[in-house]
Amino acid sequence: MRITAPKDFWAGVMFVAIGVGFAWVAQNYPMGTAVRMGPAYFPTILGVLLAILGLMLVFRGFVLTGDAVPTFHFRPLIVMIVSLILFGVMLRPVGLIASILTLVVISMLAGGRPQIKAILPLSVFLAVFSVLVFHYGLGLPFKLWPWE
């Protein structure tokens, strides 16, 4: 058999792998019953359904004709991962506001050419929004500034 829709095929393989992985890991917990669900019930059912969806996509990859998978660019993925890790590392010592500003500035580098005019309003908006929602709205004990 020949794969005629590579996007569907590889998406299906990914869904099957994630679904089987969730169902397999969930087996370390008690399953329960449909009336009294245990901690493994929902991840197992969801994992099996995701695997079935993945198998349907794998089948489509052999039956339908589709586009080729475009080349994967690692640089944006690496920049985003680094910015998230840096946010987590910086959150406690320098506070929420400086961490969010750093996260936005570094994340904008993932798109190739950073748009300087968009960085300032976006970072200020996200910082203000995060402070309002997480610090004041939800009452989470985030330090806002390094000197607090």
Side-chain angles (χ1 to χ4, degrees):
M1 293 183 93
R2 187 168 163 257
I3 299 171
T4 55
K7 279 186 180 180
D8 288 339
F9 177 79
W10 290 111
V13 168
M14 182 183 66
F15 284 178
V16 168
I18 292 172
V20 168
F22 267 94
W24 181 61
V25 169
Q27 298 313 303
N28 295 328
Y29 303 106
M31 180 64 90
T33 63
V35 175
R36 191 159 177 85
M37 297 178 195
Y41 195 87
F42 184 71
T44 301
I45 298 298
L46 194 62
V48 168
L49 290 174
L50 189 61
I52 291 170
L53 175 67
L55 288 173
M56 292 175 9
L57 282 173
V58 167
F59 178 73
R60 280 180 52 135
F62 289 113
V63 176
L64 300 177
T65 303
D67 299 332
V69 178
T71 56
F72 188 76
H73 301 284
F74 283 100
R75 183 180 177 273
L77 178 65
I78 292 170
V79 170
M80 292 303 297
I81 290 172
V82 166
S83 69
L84 289 170
I85 290 171
L86 193 58
F87 172 79
V89 169
M90 290 177 59
L91 186 59
R92 199 164 279 180
V94 300
L96 183 65
I97 294 172
S99 298
I100 288 177
L101 295 175
T102 304
L103 173 74
V104 171
V105 169
I106 294 175
S107 297
M108 302 259 323
L109 298 174
R113 214 175 78 204
Q115 299 157 345
I116 304 299
K117 291 181 182 178
I119 290 176
L120 184 64
L122 179 63
S123 58
V124 168
F125 171 76
L126 287 175
V128 169
F129 180 77
S130 297
V131 167
L132 291 175
V133 169
F134 297 113
H135 188 72
Y136 294 113
L138 296 174
L140 298 176
F142 288 132
K143 186 166 74 166
L144 298 181
W145 301 104
W147 51 83
E148 286 185 352

